[in-house]
Amino acid sequence: VVGIDSLQQEDGSYRVKQYTGSPDATRDAGRETVAWAREAVERGAGEIVLNAMARDGVRQGYDLPHARDVMAAVDVPLIVSGGAGAPEHFRDAFR
């Protein structure tokens, strides 16, 4: 299982972040999220946990367009994280 902390940039792209446990330590990992997910699967990952950092803790729903992009890029299960705050958010993610 590979966990990916992903943050949308001002230009709309998504970048992998590392050391996300501390705001002072968080930094760009030098990878675009979809490309890293593909590489992780090529290296043997059997599942991806995608945390949309901008949605984490705000309870406004998952970043479904981003999840769809990652899901389309890999052939392993994707678990979305960051954003759930109501039952319909889970429903929307499953759909």
Side-chain angles (χ1 to χ4, degrees), residues 44-56:
E47 187 172 312
I48 302 286
V49 177
L50 179 66
N51 179 38
M53 292 176 64
R55 300 284 183 110
D56 197 12

Side-chain angles (χ1 to χ4, degrees), residues 50-67 80-93:
L50 179 66
N51 179 38
M53 292 176 64
R55 300 284 183 110
D56 197 12
V58 299
R59 302 174 53 149
Q60 298 298 309
Y62 296 109
D63 186 341
L64 296 178
H66 184 36
V80 293
S81 176
E88 59 268 16
H89 296 150
F90 294 102
R91 179 204 62 213
D92 295 344

Side-chain angles (χ1 to χ4, degrees), residues 9 20 39 42 51 71 92:
Q9 306 301 291
T20 58
E39 183 178 337
E42 289 169 4
N51 179 38
M71 193 175 341
D92 295 344

Side-chain angles (χ1 to χ4, degrees), residues 19-86:
Y19 308 116
T20 58
S22 166
D24 294 332
T26 299
R27 66 180 188 168
D28 188 86
R31 297 176 180 271
E32 187 273 331
T33 301
V34 170
W36 173 233
R38 280 190 195 115
E39 183 178 337
V41 171
E42 289 169 4
R43 290 174 174 238
E47 187 172 312
I48 302 286
V49 177
L50 179 66
N51 179 38
M53 292 176 64
R55 300 284 183 110
D56 197 12
V58 299
R59 302 174 53 149
Q60 298 298 309
Y62 296 109
D63 186 341
L64 296 178
H66 184 36
R68 281 187 206 99
D69 290 344
V70 174
M71 193 175 341
V74 299
D75 60 356
V76 298
L78 177 69
I79 297 172
V80 293
S81 176

Side-chain angles (χ1 to χ4, degrees), residues 11-23:
D11 67 0
S13 67
Y14 287 86
R15 304 284 299 172
V16 177
K17 299 298 178 179
Q18 60 186 22
Y19 308 116
T20 58
S22 166

